[in-house]
Amino acid sequence: ALSAGPGSAGATAITGLSKIPTAPEYLLNVPAGAVGRPSMAVIGATEDNTRIEITPSVTLASGRPPGVPFAITLNRGGSYPLRARDSGSLGGTRVRVVESCRKIVVFQGSAGIRFANEASCASSDHIYEQAIPISHWQRDYYLLPAPEQSAPGSFRLLAHRDATAIQAGALPAQNLNRGESWTPLPNAAGLCLNSSQAVHAVQLSRSGPCNGHTAGLGDPYMLNALSSAERVKTAWWHAPNIAGVYRHYVVLAVPNAARASCKIDGNAIPAASFVPSACGAWSEAVLAVAPGAHGLVGVGGGCAAAYG
């Protein structure tokens, strides 16, 4: 799904309903918004009479306090918005189905984030991603590089069990309890995240003046981090031909042994396109593509994302 506005565009992959478990539970993983641009989420029901319990992690714009559960009931196609008061973060907010085995979906984001509230990063951008049910969280993730950005971004990692040990490259090891998150200072791309228990991770980029782009392009984005445990061998996507998004890429990471089998739009990817990753025996490639439909085939079990 693509959300495009003047000077601002964001996208999310949408999970098929067959991949959503019954009676799912979510912990939101979204950073705080810039001042006046709050952290937000929306809950959608797929069946009538779906009862949902929400436990906010912060005070909501409606005045509901943190840590106090409340319940709502939605019918099929109905939705319920959540909005943090001021610039608080909904990260750690719990959303779950109760009293039935019905399914719900949750989308999360912000009206605008400014990475790490760096004063020199004057621009902000809206972000949104589909939230991942806790049952689908993983222990290992791979952070992909951002094209045309020489300065590193960061990530936000959230735990749902106490005493979760985290290792991310050469960064100091962390230990998180349920509902706690970790957003370190900018880190190198091509980074592996490893945890002792399942966690959720999103990648975050800095805004134009701080991300190293010579023309200041590329405002903040949030991307669900891809798990090295859930690799794909075939992927199809569409690079949208819309005003303001005029350079398109696909970014992929694959085990070294799989590089020779990678093809894009039926053509082999030249070996020179790959560079060694900081994540063990993996390689990365950043490939420019034209607007329109594209396919990656024979990735041999890798991670890939589209970027504009």
Side-chain angles (χ1 to χ4, degrees):
L2 177 69
S3 173
S8 181
T12 177
I14 297 181
T15 301
L17 193 57
S18 64
K19 297 290 186 180
I20 302 294
T22 56
E25 178 182 351
Y26 296 85
L27 279 180
L28 302 188
N29 186 20
V30 60
V35 175
R37 299 184 176 186
S39 173
M40 296 185 289
V42 61
I43 304 164
T46 65
E47 299 177 68
D48 289 343
N49 197 32
T50 300
R51 189 162 175 80
I52 302 161
E53 182 187 82
I54 303 166
T55 307
S57 60
V58 293
T59 301
L60 301 182
S62 64
R64 291 188 180 274
V68 180
F70 66 96
I72 61 171
T73 300
L74 295 178
N75 288 327
R76 177 181 172 86
S79 63
Y80 186 86
L82 296 174
R83 183 189 298 257
R85 174 174 287 179
D86 302 322
S87 57
S89 168
L90 289 176
T93 293
R94 185 188 190 195
V95 179
R96 67 187 186 112
V97 172
V98 292
E99 301 174 3
S100 76
C101 289
R102 294 176 174 84
K103 299 182 179 186
I104 59 171
V105 294
V106 180
F107 289 80
Q108 59 186 354
S110 170
I113 64 166
R114 183 174 298 143
F115 177 82
N117 292 320
E118 294 173 304
S120 60
C121 303
S123 60
S124 66
D125 206 349
H126 81 282
I127 55 170
Y128 83 115
E129 281 284 306
Q130 183 167 358
I132 306 298
I134 289 176
S135 59
H136 286 25
W137 288 10
Q138 302 292 329
R139 293 175 52 193
D140 304 286
Y141 290 93
Y142 191 102
L143 301 184
L144 293 166
E148 300 191 35
Q149 295 188 14
S150 61
S154 188
F155 59 89
R156 190 178 194 277
L157 188 147
L158 180 71
H160 82 102
R161 290 177 179 165
D162 291 343
T164 297
I166 310 295
Q167 184 62 59
L171 295 172
Q174 303 290 311
N175 195 72
L176 301 180
N177 290 325
R178 178 179 173 85
E180 291 183 340
S181 64
W182 177 40
T183 304
L185 294 173
N187 58 275
L191 188 67
C192 283
L193 301 179
N194 302 285
S195 59
S196 62
Q197 304 183 82
V199 295
H200 184 252
V202 292
Q203 290 188 229
L204 302 167
S205 74
R206 303 158 92 177
S207 61
C210 293
N211 64 20
H213 193 285
T214 55
L217 299 181
D219 284 346
Y221 68 78
M222 181 174 77
L223 171 70
N224 281 330
L226 303 175
S227 172
S228 57
E230 288 193 327
R231 306 175 199 168
V232 296
K233 294 185 177 180
T234 304
W236 301 89
W237 78 101
H238 188 275
N241 187 13
I242 61 174
V245 182
Y246 50 89
R247 291 207 287 274
H248 295 277
Y249 297 89
V250 60
V251 185
L252 67 151
V254 296
N256 290 339
R259 290 184 306 183
S261 67
C262 295
K263 293 184 178 182
I264 181 168
D265 300 332
N267 300 310
I269 298 175
S273 297
F274 289 97
V275 296
S277 165
C279 183
W282 283 61
S283 295
E284 300 171 350
V286 176
L287 308 172
V289 297
H294 299 281
L296 281 172
V297 179
V299 175
C303 303
Y307 179 84

